[in-house]
Amino acid sequence: MTSSAHGPDRPVPPLGAQPRREGAGQADAVVRCVSPGSGAAAMLTAAPLPDRPGARLSGDCDLDSRQVLASALGIVTRIPGPVVHLDLSAVVFLDAAAVAALVHASATFTAQGRRLLLHDPPYSLRKVVEMFPDECAALEVAA
C-alpha cells in the first residue's frame, strides 16, 4: 500500500467505489487506483454537490481509472431529480473512453426522462467532442 492524502498511517482503500450515506438522498464515493508499476496513487473522487442534486468529480479519468469512473457514474445516475449536475472543474483529464462513459450515463438519464448537465468540462473533453460530434451529441454542457 502507498501513503496518500489520507496519511501514511491510514490504509489506502481498495480499487472500486465505496458509497457512503451523507444525509437524505445524498451519496458520495471515494475511489483510488494505483498506476501499474509506478507505485503512485492516482485518485478519482466523486462527492455530492452541496447546493443542488449532483456530484463533483476530481482527478484523472483514463485507462487506470476506467472501472472507478464507471462505479462513480453508477452512483451519480442514482441521484434523484429531473436534472443532475456533474461538476468537472476539478477533472484534469478525460480520455475518449471516459467521454464515452459520460455519453452512456447521459443516455441513461435521457431514457429516464431526466438530464445530466455537465459543468466546466476540461479541455480534453472538449477536444473529444470536436473529433466525435455525432457520438457526443447526447452530452449537455452548461453555458
Side-chain angles (χ1 to χ4, degrees), residues 46 57 59 63 67 73 88 95 103 123-124 129-130 135 140:
L57 291 182
L63 178 63
Q67 295 288 19
L73 289 175
L88 301 174
D95 68 5
V103 169
Y123 176 78
S124 55
V129 170
E130 285 177 15
E135 292 83 352
E140 185 176 357

Side-chain angles (χ1 to χ4, degrees), residues 21-47:
R21 288 289 177 205
E22 296 274 340
Q26 292 184 348
D28 102 292
V30 176
V31 289
R32 176 182 269 78
C33 59
V34 177
S35 301
S38 73
M43 188 166 32
L44 175 65
T45 62

Side-chain angles (χ1 to χ4, degrees), residues 8-140:
D9 297 332
R10 295 188 183 148
V12 175
L15 178 65
Q18 299 143 5
R20 182 180 73 217
R21 288 289 177 205
E22 296 274 340
Q26 292 184 348
D28 102 292
V30 176
V31 289
R32 176 182 269 78
C33 59
V34 177
S35 301
S38 73
M43 188 166 32
L44 175 65
T45 62
L49 293 173
D51 57 345
R52 59 188 177 224
R56 180 174 193 249
L57 291 182
S58 302
D60 287 327
C61 301
D62 55 21
L63 178 63
D64 293 331
S65 61
R66 194 162 292 156
Q67 295 288 19
V68 175
L69 176 63
S71 295
L73 289 175
I75 292 168
V76 168
T77 60
R78 293 191 299 271
I79 296 173
V83 178
V84 175
H85 302 267
L86 190 59
D87 180 353
L88 301 174
S89 62
V91 172
V92 178
F93 176 76
L94 285 150
D95 68 5
V99 175
L102 288 173
V103 169
H104 183 266
S106 184
T108 299
F109 275 87
T110 300
Q112 297 170 351
R114 304 183 320 136
R115 294 170 49 210
L116 178 63
L117 189 57
L118 307 178
H119 295 268
D120 299 315
Y123 176 78
S124 55
L125 182 137
R126 294 189 303 264
K127 289 308 290 181
V128 171
V129 170
E130 285 177 15
M131 291 187 292
F132 303 101
D134 294 338
E135 292 83 352
C136 297
L139 296 177
E140 185 176 357

